[in-house]
Amino acid sequence: MVALIALAWVAVGLLAATASHAERDAGPLPTAVVQKHDTLWDIAARYRPSDDPFAMVEEIRALNDLPGYTIHPGQELRLPRGR
């Protein structure tokens, strides 16, 4: 009986996590258009000022397949979803 209750709790937890994950992944990613003199650091700080800018820069690079840190005015960058 205890095992059945534990299994039910695990199933409920998995369903809740899946629903939450699906909501977060729904729809297009937010974007930013690079302005003159922008850096990845500037965009990360503007988009999510309370987050670690180092981590945000790396997430932005990964989402946009950027091999380095160079960006250009007019370039549209995908941004990570909010948490």
Side-chain angles (χ1 to χ4, degrees):
M1 180 68 162
V2 173
L4 186 57
I5 292 172
L7 183 60
W9 275 108
V10 169
V12 167
L14 288 174
L15 287 174
T18 302
S20 162
H21 189 64
E23 288 173 13
R24 193 173 54 235
D25 290 343
L29 289 171
T31 61
V33 176
V34 178
Q35 302 300 309
K36 188 175 183 178
H37 304 295
D38 267 349
T39 64
L40 287 171
W41 185 279
D42 296 330
I43 292 168
R46 219 175 20 243
Y47 177 65
R48 242 194 256 150
S50 62
D51 282 10
D52 173 19
F54 291 104
M56 278 295 298
V57 165
E58 293 308 316
E59 285 186 65
I60 293 169
R61 287 183 62 222
L63 280 172
N64 293 281
D65 299 319
L66 298 175
Y69 297 90
T70 303
I71 55 176
H72 304 281
Q75 185 176 1
E76 186 174 351
L77 298 174
R78 292 180 305 252
L79 303 173
R81 292 189 197 288
R83 293 182 179 97

